[in-house]
Structures are given as C-alpha cells and as structure tokens.
Amino acid sequence: MNFHDTEHEASYRQKAINFLEQHAERKVIGQPGISSCLSPQALLKAAKEWQALKADHDFACISWSKEWGGPGGSAIESVIFAQEEQQFDIPEGIFQVSLGVCMPSIIKLGSEELKNRFVKPALRGEEIWCQLFSEPAAGSDLAGIRTRAESTSSGWVVNGQKVWTSNAHLSDFGLLLTRTDPTVVKHSGLTMFWVDMQTPGIEVRPINQISGQSGFNEVYFTDVKIPDSQRISDVGGGWKAALGTLATERLAIGGAKGADCRELVALASQLPCDTGTVLKDPQFRQKLADWYVNSEGINLTRMRALTTLSRGGTPGPEMSIAKLVMAEQLQQLCDYAMDLQAEFGIINSPDISEQAAVFQKGWLKAPGSRIAGGTDEILMNVIAERVLGMPGEIRVDKNRPFNELPVGI
Amino acid sequence: MDFDFTEDQKHLQQEARRFLSANCGTARVRQVLDEPDTPFDAELWTAMADLGWQGAILPEAYGGSGMGATDLCAIAEELGRAVNPTPFASSVYAFAEAVNLLGSEQQKSRILPHIASGHQIGCIATAEGAGRPDLECAFVDSSITGRKVPVTDGDVADWAIALANDSHGESLYLIELKRHGVSTSTLPTLDPTRSCAEIKFAGASAAPLGEAGSGKALLQKIHDRAAVFVAFEQLGGAEAALATAQDYAQQRYAFGRAIGSFQAVKHKLARIYVANQIARSNCYFGAWALESQSEELPRAAAAARIAATRAFQLAASEMIEIFGGIGTTWETDCHLFYRRAKQLSLFLGPINMWKERLAAEIEKQWAHADSHGGNL
C-alpha cells in the first residue's frame, strides 16, 4: 500500500512537470484563474494555443495511438499528466466534450476516411466538436429523443431541437443523434450522424443559466440536409453507438469542481464569532470533518482506480461515486458557508464577498452539477443496477412503438 | 501508485474469509448472543490463535509472526464481516499494540507471548462513567485506586491498561486483573456478542507504561493505531450488511416485483455503496499511514474512523429498513450488525470526539501548508 510512482511513472511525471513549469504558472489559492478572467473569445484563443502546444510536446490525448496523432502513451500516463496539469492555471473547459466524448466515438465508429479527416485537427484544438444528444423531452430518458431524420432520395432531412449542448456556439462539428423510425420501439429507431455546424438550417441559441453564465445552448434544426455519407451508425443502430459515447462522458465529467474544505477553512479562520473565529466553533468543526472525509475519500478512491490502471487492469465502478458525492457536497458546503457569513452571505461580488464569492458561485453552479452528466437519481440507479445487480425498472415503454408512447410536457 | 492490498494480502484475506465463514457463521455469533454466561466464543478464539492472528504483527521475538500492519487490516476486515464474538479488538488492536509500542523490554517479553498465543487477553480501560468526567483513578504508593466503567472485554481480560493521576500528572499503567485489589463485574450492553465490565481497583498493584506524565498523549497514540484496525472491522461489517441487504432486495417480492427494482430501495443501497467506498478509501489511507509510520497517522486514523463508523451505522440501520418488519425480529441477523455497528462506534471514543480530532489535524495541516505559501 503506497502512493509511489513506478520508476517509469516518476520519470514521466517529471517530464510533465518540466513541460508545465516551462509553459504555465502554478495556481494560487484564493485567486481566480485565467479561465474565469478572460473574455470568451480570449479564452477560446488561449485554449486553442495551449492545446496545440500540448500536441507539439506529445501531451495532448496521451493515450491515443500514433495513428490518430497521439503519442501512443498509456492510460496511467494520461492520468499523471492530468494530475499535474490541474495544478496549473491553464485555459479550461473548451475541449472536454470534443476530445473526451466526441473523438473517442469517431475513432470507434467512423470510417477510415472520416478519421483521417477529423481526428488530428480535433486533437490539436483546431476544430471543436459538440454532442447533439439531449432534447427538451429527453434528458435522463435520452432514448426518448424526437428530432427526426427522414430519408429522401438525396440523403436525410433533419427537423427538431437539441438542448444543453455544451460549447455548440464554439463548435465546428457535432455528433447528432436522431430518430429515423418512430414506428418501432424507441431504442431501435435511432441513428447517429456527424454534422457541420455551419450547415444551413442549424441555429444555435445560448441558454442563460442561473449562474449568469452561458455554457450551454439550444440547437434548432430546420430542414437541415445531411448526406447519407455523414451517417456513422447503422440505420436504427444509434442507441448502441450513443451508449459508448455516454460511458466516455461519465469518465470525462468526473467530480464537480468548486469551493470545498480548503476554501471553507480559509473563510472560517477569518470570520469572527462568539468563540473567536468560526474555525474554533465546535459545530463548524464537526461539519468540516464530515466534508473533509468525503473529499479525501473521493481523492483516495481515484488513487485506487489509478492503482488498477497502473497494474494494467480496468478500473471498477468505484469512481462512479465521485460526481454524486461532490456535487451534493458543493451545494451543502456553499450553503453553510453563506450561513456562516450571516446577512453578508447574500452579497455576490468577487470584489466584496468573502473568498472572492467562491461560495456564492458554487451555490449557483451546484444545482447544474447535480444534473449534468447524469442526475443524482440516475447515477444512483446506475450504481444499484450495474454495480449492485438490482433488477431494472419495470418499463412501460419497452415493447411499444415510439409513436404510441404517452407524452407529457 | 500501489494503493490497494497486494496480491499476497488479498490471498491472506480470502483465507481469512474462508476460515471465518466455516468457523464464525452467524449461528456461532448467535450462540454468544443467546447465552448470557458465554462472554465470547472461546473455541473460535483458540482456532484464531492457531492461525497466529493474535500475534500477527507482533515481533517474532515476542511470539508473533512479524507481519505488517496492512496484513492485520486485511484480517480485520474479515473479522468485521463475520461480526466476530471475541475480544480480538481489545486484546490485539489496542492492548498488544500499546504494550509493543510503549512497554519496557521486560514488560514486552513477559506479556506479549501470552497475548500472541491467545492464552491471555488484554484490554484498555479508559472510561469512568457517562460523558467525559474528570479522571479520578489515582496511583498512590505503587498501587491504583478507582473505577473504570465501561471496559470492553474487562471481565474476560487478564491485563488492562488504564490512565491514572499520579505525581507526574496523568500516566498510563499496566494492571494484572486477576490479582488482589481488582474486582470486575459484567455489565449488560446493547451488543451481547461482545463482553463488557465495570472494573474497581482498590489498591491494585500497577506498573507504569510509557513515559510518566504523558498518559493522555500516549493514550491518543494507542487510540490512533487501534482506530485504523477497528475501522477495517467496521468496513467489513458495512460490506456484509450491504451484501445481505442486496440479496434480500433481489429475493423479496412486493407489488409483483422484486423490491430491489423500486428506486426508493435502489437509492438506499446506492447510498450505502457510496458510504462504503468512501470508508474503504479512507481505511486504506489509514493502513498506509500506520504501516509507513507516517506523521499523518492522526489525521488518517481519524478520517478512517469517521468514514467507517458512518458507513457501518448507515448500512446496519438501512438494512433493517430494507428487510421491513422481519428485520426487527430476533430471528433475523440484521440486529447482529445493528448492535455491532453501535458497539464499535463507541469503542475507542464516540464519533464527535474523532471529528473534533480530525478538525484539529486539518487546521494543523493547512496552517502549516499556508505558512509555506503552499499550493493546493
């Protein structure tokens, strides 16, 4: 039982640190990073430059084979680099879907021609991809999508609406899940395509979130013409293709980032109360201990998954708990941190609020974190069914054609 | 990165599980539960000694096997899974570790071989009534006077370690219990599968253990070490409770379907799984800190203790809820876990004490890092 790198891992880690130290600055506690300081345009530019730089030094998509422009490294190398990279203040949040979700699917499902055309530019950050899956009436129940792709003599015509599409406004291309046959049961009537986001008939509208940010979009499709050559699953084989993509998504999203124990202790050590500072308040200390045990528990669980990787195995389901635990904790911890500030907690200004408003920000972000990448409830179903072997839900939609299912709002 | 049991440790654990499922099934645990005059399973205790478990990590010079702390953690998880009705936690995790850590050469060679062979049992006597009253036990004129209550396994033990006031302040003492000046009486508890007593000292002869006047700090050290092993027992108990609840949820039908197909039940089980994973990871860190003699042991032990206590208590109480009415009967095994979860949560001090201790360690850790301008 130890945390030591193998000799090879240690030398790889050193190589990563050398690269990072040469090209980036380390994060400083209590100071907002460049990802939250730059304008959206400047962040996009910086992110693309960083990605290209990583590609030049063999640190982009480390576990991808040389054939697809990666350095052909191991999964553990990829994790080691990510561990070190997160200590540095680099532009974040642009390529997660593109490289973590879409490209692995293209590599798995696409034709040789398609892969030759798209994988390398995506890896270098020159082109960005989005995932056009969720719809207003199909979130947790993704197979319930209604966006129609109808076959014509010259290909397909798509009509419908997607939603929660991260970075659609920045994306050049998208992976699109459609319904091609509503007369069969819902999982059988789906087909996947790739689409150029500049295709006539596609309209991207940003969604304003409660945090005031707009990371997501609605994407409308009106008579969008797509040639059959852009189909990347069998007709009716879209669900199977999508399942592979979703599995990668859960890995890519990981834990929820935001205020945690460190920030809470920083706040408490400065806040006055009857017993001196809040840090000395027994009730505070009991809560801190509980949250700390969770955070450490998740970090250490990651170490266990890494160990499996390091021993050449495939990590088990343990990491599925990370987002569930940390998103819920983000909400509760931020809420408590604002209570500690008394009336002052209501103020939401990076300049005036305690700890540069990190708790107010986390509190507004947390509801979304508990939903994105699988709601708390869906994640618990996944744990219960796939890990603990509980029987699946009794389904009322399983053996009926999609167009005969009851619909609500 | 090698943050898991080794293949050898996994093998040891499998062997332990095989042995305990043959020799410590719930029927055996129930014999101790149902017979008030049976304080523990002596036959099992002897069989465990034949395997060398009581002396697993004691040095060979004192009759032990000289294994590593993590090896004993692997065994402890299985002992917890089996809800073992023996004084193992008192005698091995607390008493033997304390003597080995603090004892003089003479004390170690006189006592430890008997503990390792299972012929004698040790315990740790800390509480003096409800809450946290001032220490009243006193060492005067080379003998000890006072009362310790409750003392887990105090009625079956041959030796106790107790904290007492003396001319140096508070110090630890070793006391032979089956001697003049000591009287023990068995007390009824929530978990009759473990024994418990009140011990009265009336001029009992006692020998100092460890540095005089440092009793409190040394006791904390003993608690830290024992807490890691106990956390593994709690983890094992939590895993067993989850597995039992899982089985039941798949076999029990209501409304024409297995109750495990209802989301309300699924989510209960998922919550237990999450708590168990968090406990397992914190326990592993505790094992690492113990084995590597890390300065981080106090923090690691407290975190493991808190996570494992939480997990076992959650699993044991939710298991009864999943069983429904039948889970509240004496005949089902649910209450074995429910009782043991509470017993282990109070042994070595309650959860709020450990949370306060963890908070103090967090404060130290980050105050230190911040003074060095450290990064996250």
Side-chain angles (χ1 to χ4, degrees):
Chain A
M1 191 94 56
N2 70 61
F3 297 97
H4 304 154
D5 287 333
T6 63
E7 204 175 315
H8 171 80
E9 288 164 4
S11 85
Y12 189 83
R13 190 181 297 279
Q14 194 52 52
K15 219 173 89 183
I17 292 171
N18 292 347
F19 166 78
L20 289 162
E21 285 182 337
Q22 192 181 342
H23 298 284
E25 299 294 324
R26 285 192 178 268
K27 281 179 187 163
V28 180
I29 301 158
Q31 284 183 20
I34 54 173
S35 297
S36 52
C37 295
L38 294 175
S39 71
Q41 294 81 358
L43 178 63
L44 178 64
K45 184 167 174 286
K48 285 189 165 192
E49 285 169 4
W50 178 246
Q51 188 64 24
L53 185 72
K54 285 203 294 185
D56 288 340
H57 290 80
D58 281 349
F59 288 120
C61 305
I62 289 162
S63 60
W64 293 13
S65 70
K66 291 207 163 84
E67 188 185 1
W68 304 119
S74 65
I76 190 83
E77 287 173 348
S78 175
V79 174
I80 287 172
F81 183 80
Q83 280 180 333
E84 297 304 325
E85 189 186 31
Q86 69 181 7
Q87 319 269 339
F88 286 80
D89 186 17
I90 49 121
E92 288 166 338
I94 304 287
F95 298 109
Q96 209 174 19
V97 173
S98 200
L99 301 173
V101 179
C102 295
M103 278 311 113
S105 301
I106 293 286
I107 290 175
K108 196 168 157 199
L109 304 167
S111 65
E112 290 308 302
E113 193 189 344
L114 195 68
K115 290 189 260 193
N116 287 329
R117 162 64 189 82
F118 286 123
V119 176
K120 283 178 190 170
L123 179 143
R124 295 189 59 81
E126 290 159 3
E127 291 172 350
I128 301 181
W129 285 67
C130 60
Q131 182 193 28
L132 299 155
F133 282 17
S134 295
E135 294 186 9
S140 293
D141 179 17
L142 182 63
I145 60 159
R146 298 175 188 173
T147 292
R148 282 283 277 129
E150 288 173 285
S151 180
T152 67
S153 55
S154 59
W156 300 83
V157 176
V158 178
N159 279 287
Q161 184 202 340
K162 295 292 174 179
V163 73
W164 314 126
T165 316
S166 302
N167 290 338
H169 58 302
L170 307 175
S171 292
D172 303 287
F173 303 97
L175 270 190
L176 172 66
L177 191 63
T178 64
R179 182 162 305 281
T180 40
D181 188 354
T183 68
V184 295
V185 295
K186 70 179 187 181
H187 293 89
S188 305
L190 306 178
T191 304
M192 198 187 285
F193 297 89
W194 68 266
V195 56
D196 185 332
M197 294 299 284
Q198 299 303 318
T199 313
I202 298 181
E203 187 196 348
V204 177
R205 295 183 199 162
I207 297 172
N208 296 320
Q209 295 154 248
I210 59 177
S211 62
Q213 294 178 321
S214 299
F216 298 117
N217 302 272
E218 297 175 302
V219 182
Y220 290 84
F221 290 79
T222 312
D223 294 330
V224 176
K225 293 187 178 58
I226 301 179
D228 191 57
S229 60
Q230 291 183 212
R231 182 168 52 79
I232 54 177
S233 76
D234 291 339
V235 174
W239 183 244
K240 203 177 151 209
L243 281 184
T245 308
L246 293 175
T248 349
E249 182 184 6
R250 293 223 168 87
L251 286 177
I253 287 190
K257 285 182 185 164
D260 202 49
C261 297
R262 191 78 191 248
E263 289 78 10
L264 190 64
V265 168
L267 171 75
S269 60
Q270 287 161 23
L271 275 187
C273 74
D274 299 341
T275 49
T277 65
V278 171
L279 187 58
K280 300 292 179 193
D281 174 51
Q283 196 203 357
F284 169 82
R285 293 164 81 85
Q286 296 280 307
K287 281 181 176 284
L288 171 67
D290 266 326
W291 283 322
Y292 181 89
V293 163
N294 284 345
S295 305
E296 281 297 289
I298 295 299
N299 288 337
L300 293 163
T301 303
R302 196 170 287 121
M303 302 295 181
R304 287 169 49 207
L306 278 181
T307 299
T308 310
L309 271 180
S310 182
R311 289 178 181 178
T314 310
E318 310 86 25
M319 275 315 288
S320 63
I321 70 173
K323 195 198 75 112
L324 178 63
V325 172
M326 295 315 291
E328 207 169 37
Q329 176 155 320
L330 179 65
Q331 193 165 32
Q332 290 168 3
L333 184 145
C334 288
D335 187 70
Y336 179 68
M338 291 191 288
D339 284 351
L340 289 177
Q341 298 170 42
E343 279 93 331
F344 200 81
I346 200 69
I347 294 173
N348 182 23
S349 154
D351 303 324
I352 305 170
S353 299
E354 292 289 326
Q355 300 296 311
V358 68
F359 302 110
Q360 285 78 6
K361 208 169 136 185
W363 185 80
L364 287 170
K365 180 188 167 189
S369 301
R370 290 183 54 194
I371 291 164
T375 62
D376 288 358
E377 290 72 22
I378 289 290
L379 292 180
M380 287 193 283
N381 285 353
V382 169
I383 291 170
E385 291 174 19
R386 304 214 192 129
V387 183
L388 303 178
M390 292 302 115
E393 284 298 298
I394 304 273
R395 302 286 289 263
V396 295
D397 58 357
K398 210 152 193 179
N399 299 312
R400 291 166 71 182
F402 179 73
N403 58 7
E404 289 176 16
L405 296 178
V407 290
I409 55 169
Chain B
M1 184 66 56
D2 203 16
F3 191 55
D4 194 357
F5 287 128
T6 62
E7 288 307 314
D8 282 352
Q9 284 158 352
K10 286 182 183 175
H11 182 71
L12 173 70
Q13 196 167 43
Q14 279 162 8
E15 289 297 310
R17 190 179 301 188
R18 206 166 301 148
F19 167 79
L20 287 166
S21 56
N23 295 282
C24 185
T26 51
R28 283 285 282 274
V29 181
R30 284 175 163 279
Q31 283 178 12
V32 180
L33 176 76
D34 289 330
E35 290 168 23
D37 296 335
T38 306
F40 70 101
D41 188 333
E43 200 181 320
L44 173 64
W45 182 251
T46 307
M48 285 158 66
D50 290 343
L51 292 173
W53 285 2
Q54 282 89 329
I57 63 170
L58 291 174
E60 288 173 21
Y62 307 124
S65 311
M67 295 167 94
T70 312
D71 300 321
L72 184 57
C73 290
I75 295 172
E77 185 180 337
E78 296 313 310
L79 285 167
R81 197 183 296 274
V83 201
N84 82 93
T86 74
F88 199 84
S90 295
S91 196
V92 179
Y93 311 147
F95 180 81
E97 282 291 283
V99 173
N100 191 38
L101 185 74
L102 306 171
S104 66
E105 185 54 42
Q106 196 201 354
Q107 286 170 329
K108 289 199 262 193
S109 52
R110 177 170 169 222
I111 298 169
L112 291 179
H114 300 295
I115 298 293
S117 69
H119 289 122
Q120 291 195 337
I121 292 167
C123 70
I124 184 144
T126 50
E128 294 190 3
R132 293 183 215 171
D134 290 339
L135 181 66
E136 285 188 2
C137 261
F139 180 84
V140 185
D141 297 335
S142 49
S143 72
I144 206 162
T145 302
R147 185 179 81 119
K148 296 286 181 184
V149 61
V151 182
T152 301
D153 301 310
D155 50 347
V156 298
D158 302 281
W159 293 91
I161 292 171
L163 189 66
N165 289 309
D166 62 15
S167 57
H168 303 277
E170 295 179 355
S171 307
L172 289 178
Y173 286 90
L174 257 176
I175 303 140
E176 220 176 331
L177 295 176
K178 290 169 182 166
R179 285 289 180 92
H180 176 73
V182 181
S183 61
T184 60
S185 52
T186 302
L187 298 174
T189 73
L190 277 175
D191 183 7
T193 64
R194 294 296 314 280
S195 212
C196 189
E198 175 179 4
I199 303 183
K200 284 182 180 151
F201 301 116
S205 65
L209 179 72
E211 192 188 340
S214 305
K216 231 174 191 166
L218 295 178
L219 186 61
Q220 194 60 67
K221 275 192 170 177
I222 297 170
H223 274 174
D224 284 346
R225 300 180 69 80
V228 174
F229 298 118
V230 170
F232 272 92
E233 278 210 6
Q234 292 171 303
L235 172 64
E239 294 281 26
L242 173 59
T244 310
Q246 256 172 279
D247 281 350
Y248 188 80
Q250 283 169 301
Q251 288 164 21
R252 170 76 176 174
Y253 274 62
F255 305 100
R257 53 200 273 204
I259 62 167
S261 68
F262 291 104
Q263 286 202 14
V265 174
K266 283 182 186 173
H267 292 184
K268 269 191 197 306
L269 292 167
R271 292 273 177 205
I272 301 172
Y273 174 81
V274 168
N276 288 5
Q277 290 302 319
I278 289 190
R280 181 171 295 283
S281 297
N282 278 294
C283 281
Y284 282 11
F285 188 59
W288 169 81
L290 197 54
E291 176 121 33
S292 63
Q293 303 182 340
S294 166
E295 285 176 9
E296 295 174 80
L297 179 61
R299 180 164 56 87
R305 168 81 180 156
I306 294 163
T309 301
R310 243 167 34 182
F312 196 10
Q313 291 207 267
L314 176 73
S317 56
E318 291 295 68
M319 158 195 217
I320 298 181
E321 185 69 16
I322 288 167
F323 268 67
I326 196 74
T328 67
T329 62
W330 193 267
E331 285 73 19
T332 53
D333 290 336
C334 295
H335 66 129
L336 299 180
F337 295 94
Y338 192 59
R339 292 173 193 282
R340 182 58 61 83
K342 193 66 221 166
Q343 192 271 333
L344 288 178
S345 85
L346 295 174
F347 181 61
L348 301 179
I351 197 73
N352 59 351
M353 183 199 90
W354 285 97
K355 285 183 186 174
E356 167 50 40
R357 184 157 165 69
L358 178 59
E361 291 298 322
I362 296 169
E363 204 183 337
K364 250 192 264 172
Q365 179 198 6
W366 283 339
H368 180 76
D370 288 344
S371 70
H372 287 71
N375 291 284
L376 275 176

